Amino acid sequence: MGFNILICDDSSLARKMARNNLPDGFAETIYEVSNGMDALEVLAHHTIDLVLLDLTMPVLDGLGVLSEIKRRQLEVFVIVISGDIQPLMQEKVMSLGALSFIEKPIKRNALKTILCRFGFILPDTYQTAIAV
């Protein structure tokens, strides 16, 4: 059983890189949006298991999305993928409920490593873990 994934980044190249770094068979459905308002729309109308979220976007940035997810008490895992690697920013996103932080551009297997660490996929084989 695959996961429902939302990739939110204003760069189509960054969305493609995030998609390409997902393990084979990991996602059942992948939604892609280019701003935070569209991300909140997807979250309001679909069951999403994991959000891959950029911080710097037009309309509503990643911090705004994280704040709304927290305010609405949505049960979704969020991994921030951003070029803003300042320790204060990383601390801020974690305090807003992000599961983890990956620096842009994604290095090969960085996303898979995080997914392994948090039990989304099994170590070594990168097989999808059973969704709970």
Side-chain angles (χ1 to χ4, degrees), residues 25-89:
F26 180 76
E28 182 174 319
T29 306
I30 300 175
Y31 299 91
E32 293 186 23
V33 297
S34 60
N35 67 70
M37 289 302 289
D38 289 346
L40 293 176
E41 274 295 306
V42 170
L43 289 166
H45 294 97
H46 302 280
T47 301
I48 301 296
D49 302 301
L50 178 66
V51 178
L52 304 178
L53 180 67
D54 185 24
L55 292 179
T56 307
M57 297 177 292
V59 186
L60 181 65
D61 65 12
L63 290 176
V65 173
L66 282 167
S67 294
E68 272 300 298
I69 287 172
K70 188 173 187 175
R71 186 185 73 76
R72 296 179 189 185
Q73 299 179 345
L74 300 175
E75 293 185 19
V76 63
F77 294 105
V78 179
I79 297 174
V80 171
I81 302 173
S82 179
D84 187 349
I85 60 168
Q86 299 174 54
L88 287 176
M89 183 57 73

Side-chain angles (χ1 to χ4, degrees), residues 64-117:
V65 173
L66 282 167
S67 294
E68 272 300 298
I69 287 172
K70 188 173 187 175
R71 186 185 73 76
R72 296 179 189 185
Q73 299 179 345
L74 300 175
E75 293 185 19
V76 63
F77 294 105
V78 179
I79 297 174
V80 171
I81 302 173
S82 179
D84 187 349
I85 60 168
Q86 299 174 54
L88 287 176
M89 183 57 73
Q90 290 184 39
E91 188 177 304
K92 176 81 172 172
V93 300
M94 300 306 275
S95 73
L96 287 170
L99 188 63
S100 191
F101 190 101
I102 299 173
E103 181 181 356
K104 260 186 184 180
I106 298 177
K107 292 175 181 64
R108 183 161 179 77
N109 292 324
L111 181 57
K112 291 176 186 173
T113 299
I114 297 294
L115 295 174
C116 258
R117 183 183 316 151

